[in-house]
Amino acid sequence: MTHAEKSCWRQIALYTLLFAGLFLGALSLPRGPFVLVVTDPRLPPSHMMDVVGQAGGAFVLAGARPWLAVAYSDTAGFPERLRSAGAILVLNHILAVGCRAGA
């Protein structure tokens, strides 16, 4: 394999990884009233409930870990309010499929 061929394959691999990253990023954006909330794992479990409550949402489903939960609110700006209340990440609730695994 020549140097040019190796360079071509590296570019293909780089673009494939870039596309996969962008695709997963777009998939994880919160849509709709249900979201997956990730809080600081070092804080007590009550912190999750405080974050959801301060953001004006409702607790829907606990995750396998106390710092993961699905929350609901039908008012606009819920993900931003969750982040302001202390959530580290607010993701699409579809990613919560495995939240109960191992619980």
Side-chain angles (χ1 to χ4, degrees), residues 8-90:
C8 180
W9 281 109
R10 285 184 188 144
Q11 285 182 341
I12 290 171
L14 176 67
Y15 291 135
T16 301
L17 287 173
L18 180 64
F19 174 78
L22 290 172
F23 178 75
L24 290 175
L27 182 66
S28 67
L29 291 174
R31 290 181 205 80
F34 292 94
V35 294
L36 174 63
V37 183
V38 180
T39 60
D40 190 341
R42 299 170 294 177
L43 296 175
S46 61
H47 178 67
M48 172 63 73
M49 299 301 281
D50 292 339
V51 167
V52 174
Q54 288 175 14
F59 180 81
V60 175
L61 176 70
R65 302 286 182 249
W67 41 272
L68 292 171
V70 175
Y72 170 85
S73 176
D74 58 357
T75 59
F78 185 47
E80 292 79 19
R81 290 193 314 273
L82 284 165
R83 287 185 204 99
S84 295
I88 294 174
L89 291 172
V90 181

